[in-house]
Amino acid sequence: MDVLDGDYIHAETEWDELLWLWQRTEAPKGCRVELVDGIVTVAPLARVSHQSLVAHVHRRLCAAVPTWGVHQWCPVAVPSRLGIYLPDITVVPEEELHAAEERCLPAAAAALVVEIASRATARVDRTVKVHAYASAGIPLYVLLDSLAPDGPVCTLHGRPEKGTYREVSRVRFGEPIELPPPFALIIDTAEFPEA
């Protein structure tokens, strides 16, 4: 990779160029910078109620897999989809986390990702990320969508194959949803903080 005059580079691949651009994108404090289908996007962090929900699920996952890494907004890379995403929660076996590159975790290292839809991210969470996470081979994707057209729902996606997931379970907020092993965890959505 050659850095030319000013801020332009000549990279070997499109991915290298996009990664370089993503790493240098400055955004206002508190914003999330992602690479979505090869486009750098900047979105504000969600409301306090969103953060409360993230914290609630984060605590439950930490208790379920205490020796694993349970991280908020850890950058995961899906080069085949020209994407770098910051899931609300990423669960990674510790050995995978220590083997990761400095700036991004290869998405395939994650055992589970959780996204909580907000007004700024709902469309991407429901469409782009479902296919990106499945194509990367992440075994489980949980989408908590209080903005769903048919009312607040929690969807567990699993068994990724050929860039798509099978919907394993879908419950309305207020009902429990069970995560399979290695988590063996029931999340009672009735315990969720008010959105």
Side-chain angles (χ1 to χ4, degrees):
M1 182 175 337
D2 298 321
V3 178
L4 304 177
D5 286 338
D7 289 333
Y8 186 74
I9 65 157
H10 176 62
E12 296 294 319
T13 67
E14 182 179 18
W15 173 250
D16 289 338
E17 186 173 352
L18 290 169
L19 182 59
W20 182 88
L21 180 64
W22 174 79
Q23 290 174 334
R24 285 157 184 79
T25 299
E26 292 187 29
K29 187 175 180 177
C31 289
R32 292 165 63 163
V33 178
E34 294 183 304
L35 188 59
V36 178
D37 290 336
I39 299 170
V40 175
T41 65
V42 178
L45 288 179
R47 301 180 321 193
V48 173
S49 58
H50 180 107
Q51 306 306 336
S52 295
L53 185 51
V54 170
H56 178 83
V57 175
H58 185 264
R59 283 191 300 273
R60 296 296 314 276
L61 287 167
C62 285
V65 285
T67 62
W68 288 25
V70 181
H71 304 279
Q72 296 180 20
W73 307 293
C74 175
V76 297
V78 185
S80 64
R81 299 289 301 229
L82 299 178
I84 298 174
Y85 308 103
L86 279 77
D88 287 296
I89 300 171
T90 305
V91 182
V92 186
E94 279 298 323
E95 63 275 6
E96 295 288 345
L97 189 63
H98 295 302
E101 291 182 27
E102 187 176 316
R103 294 283 307 219
C104 294
L105 177 74
L112 165 74
V113 291
V114 178
E115 293 285 5
I116 300 168
S118 68
R119 295 200 191 291
T121 67
R123 184 191 62 76
V124 171
D125 293 343
R126 293 175 190 145
T127 58
V128 175
K129 290 184 180 182
V130 171
H131 296 296
Y133 295 154
S135 68
I138 298 174
L140 298 170
Y141 171 39
V142 175
L143 175 58
L144 303 173
D145 192 349
S146 64
L147 305 171
D150 55 345
V153 294
C154 176
T155 306
L156 172 62
H157 301 275
R159 300 189 301 267
E161 188 177 318
K162 297 180 183 174
T164 192
Y165 282 114
R166 291 179 187 235
E167 191 175 290
V168 176
S169 183
R170 181 179 173 97
V171 300
R172 295 197 170 281
F173 278 23
E175 301 172 19
I177 191 161
E178 184 173 356
L179 301 184
F183 303 98
L185 171 66
I186 296 175
I187 297 174
D188 185 357
T189 65
E191 297 174 355
F192 286 172
E194 290 294 320

